[in-house]
Amino acid sequence: MYWKYAAAACLTGAAGFMASTSALFSGSAEQKPFPEIRSKHSLVAKHVTEEKWNRLSGIQTQTSGFTLGQAISCAVEFDNQHCGIYAGDYDSYKDFADVFDPIIQEYHGITADAKHTTDMDVSKIQGNVDPNAPVKSVRIRVGRSFNGFGLSPGITRQQRLDLEKLLISAFSNFSGDLEGQYYPLLGMDEAVRQQLVDDHFLFVSGDPNLISAGMERDWPEGRGIFHNKDKTFLVWVNEEDQLRIISMEKGGDVLGVFKRLASGIQAVGDSVKAESGKGFMLDEKYGYVHSCPTNLGTGMRASVHIDLPGWTAHGVDKLKARCEELSLQPRGTRGESGGQTGHTYDISNKHRLGYSEVQLVQTMIDGVNTLYKEDLELQEAQKKE
């Protein structure tokens, strides 16, 4: 069974997103008092000082009129945020660079002069997951955003509708194993809705973080889901990101899933570029631009569901420590906060920024094979106890 995801080059300098030409044309917002940041241990609380607030809070971005106050709304409203900030458009990362840059560098563990490399060349992947490994399913997702439109927290109603129109046109051009149908959330037939629920494809409203950040304005207008006929390629339109592109299938063919993902990304990008002249937001320092800075870089999560009974008996904490050594992240199969049941785990790449897509998929393949080999050894040792 598949599972649901749990929530143009720019001018950059050595310190990060340089205040580019967008800052020259940014508007002014009403200067408000320095807010109380309820998430006191968040990265926002650490890096949004009163001095920075007084200097930046009066700026409105050019693309969507976004402000620093809107960007940090989650950290102000809630007391449980780790990061606590979203970007309303590409301009946000540049106009508020004095806030975003140190948060990004601390979260991702990168230096101020780091550069990001993107690489979707499937031919560079070595090997695949061991066919004998008890892998139930594979899922790889990325986020993508197009230049000229706001990101979900700041996108205007018209921008959202215009983007959806471009994507519907792109989907209609798909052929071969990508060919399928787009299902707009607005006016969705109940039978269609139920089928998407049953397939675990449907994203829904009501997430407090997304509401606070402004991502559910005008809901459900301008949102929708595309999937191919085989239900192995899926695109979420205008949810947390402009696009969430997902490739998945039962079994353990990670290479095949990555190949389909790369093909789908290329098809979407080429179609929108041909029709509108707009390409993906790609920054030389921070990679593909997303609304949440934790997803910058590849925005990729490559994961498998695998049975690891030996590791389960050995201890979940020990499995977590081993995954850390392998640059992997283990979760329960109910998602990020859903907990663990039985001995089936969701194992994915840990990093997003500072590594290419090929590197992250390779790390996941190699790590899963290592965990499987060690699991067999643990099972044998446990039989002798």
Side-chain angles (χ1 to χ4, degrees):
M1 180 172 67
Y2 302 128
W3 58 99
K4 177 182 180 295
Y5 166 70
C10 84
L11 299 170
T12 57
F17 283 112
M18 190 173 79
S20 70
T21 52
S22 72
L24 301 177
F25 300 100
S26 299
S28 296
E30 179 187 352
Q31 185 82 37
K32 294 183 178 179
F34 184 56
E36 177 189 354
I37 298 171
R38 294 187 64 200
S39 290
K40 298 189 182 302
H41 300 291
S42 66
L43 294 176
V44 163
K46 181 177 180 179
H47 294 289
V48 180
T49 63
E50 188 165 3
E51 181 276 325
K52 289 181 182 178
W53 173 265
N54 290 337
R55 183 159 44 86
L56 300 174
S57 63
I59 295 173
Q60 279 187 310
T61 61
Q62 181 189 9
T63 301
S64 61
F66 206 67
T67 66
L68 181 60
Q70 290 173 283
I72 66 170
S73 62
C74 287
V76 171
E77 184 173 351
F78 305 119
D79 62 5
N80 62 348
Q81 302 293 296
H82 170 61
C83 188
I85 191 167
Y86 288 97
D89 44 32
Y90 198 173
D91 306 338
S92 299
Y93 284 111
K94 302 173 226 181
D95 292 351
F96 312 127
D98 285 351
V99 168
F100 274 105
D101 281 347
I103 288 176
I104 293 164
Q105 288 157 21
E106 180 169 343
Y107 180 88
H108 290 281
I110 63 168
T111 60
D113 59 353
K115 294 284 190 285
H116 180 78
T117 301
T118 182
D119 187 356
M120 294 289 293
D121 186 349
V122 182
S123 68
K124 295 179 181 177
I125 300 289
Q126 302 294 311
N128 206 342
V129 168
D130 188 326
N132 295 313
V135 173
K136 298 183 175 183
S137 53
V138 180
R139 178 185 190 269
I140 307 177
R141 64 87 170 162
V142 298
R144 287 292 186 271
S145 309
F146 284 100
N147 284 302
F149 301 94
L151 301 172
S152 288
I155 192 169
T156 67
R157 177 172 179 263
Q158 192 58 52
Q159 286 172 353
R160 191 186 299 112
L161 293 173
D162 290 345
L163 178 59
E164 182 190 34
K165 184 178 179 181
L166 280 173
L167 292 170
I168 289 172
S169 178
F171 299 146
S172 70
N173 294 327
F174 282 0
S175 61
D177 67 343
L178 295 179
E179 186 178 350
Q181 186 172 344
Y182 178 71
Y183 302 91
L185 264 59
L186 185 65
M188 181 176 285
D189 180 78
E190 175 56 26
V192 170
R193 190 198 69 81
Q194 188 58 52
Q195 185 61 56
L196 291 170
V197 169
D198 293 343
D199 290 332
H200 301 272
F201 287 175
L202 190 66
F203 61 86
V204 295
S205 62
D207 185 292
N209 281 354
L210 302 192
I211 293 170
S212 176
M215 296 191 219
E216 296 198 355
R217 292 167 297 123
D218 310 310
W219 183 276
E221 186 182 56
R223 283 92 168 174
I225 297 163
F226 169 89
H227 69 72
N228 66 348
K229 292 177 181 177
D230 294 333
K231 300 183 179 180
T232 57
F233 182 76
L234 177 70
V235 183
W236 288 356
V237 174
N238 287 322
E239 194 237 8
E240 182 175 332
D241 284 306
Q242 290 180 12
L243 291 179
R244 279 283 167 88
I245 305 174
I246 306 162
S247 179
M248 57 195 173
E249 64 183 56
K250 294 178 181 178
D253 184 11
V254 175
L255 192 63
V257 170
F258 184 53
K259 185 175 182 180
R260 186 188 309 112
L261 179 78
S263 175
I265 293 170
Q266 186 76 38
V268 172
D270 287 350
S271 177
V272 172
K273 184 80 170 178
E275 187 165 339
S276 70
K278 300 182 189 299
F280 291 129
M281 293 183 197
L282 178 59
D283 183 80
E284 66 174 15
K285 182 178 180 64
Y286 292 139
Y288 287 103
V289 177
H290 297 70
S291 63
C292 182
T294 66
N295 280 323
L296 290 171
T298 60
M300 171 178 280
R301 186 171 186 274
S303 58
V304 299
H305 278 187
I306 183 171
D307 289 338
L308 298 172
W311 273 109
T312 302
H314 191 52
V316 174
D317 288 342
K318 293 176 182 177
L319 172 61
K320 289 179 179 177
R322 183 64 176 126
C323 284
E324 183 73 23
E325 294 171 353
L326 296 170
S327 296
L328 299 176
Q329 185 178 47
R331 294 180 181 176
T333 51
R334 288 191 240 166
E336 192 166 8
S337 57
Q340 175 58 32
T341 58
H343 53 240
T344 304
Y345 298 86
D346 176 313
I347 305 291
S348 67
N349 58 291
K350 178 184 176 184
H351 299 107
R352 303 279 186 271
L353 180 61
Y355 303 82
S356 73
E357 292 84 354
V358 165
Q359 286 176 305
L360 294 181
V361 171
Q362 190 70 64
T363 294
M364 192 268 278
I365 289 173
D366 295 344
V368 167
N369 284 335
T370 297
L371 289 175
Y372 168 57
K373 178 174 175 289
E374 293 170 349
D375 193 77
L376 294 179
E377 293 168 354
L378 287 167
Q379 288 183 58
E380 285 302 312
Q382 289 154 10
K383 288 177 184 177
K384 296 174 183 178
E385 292 177 357

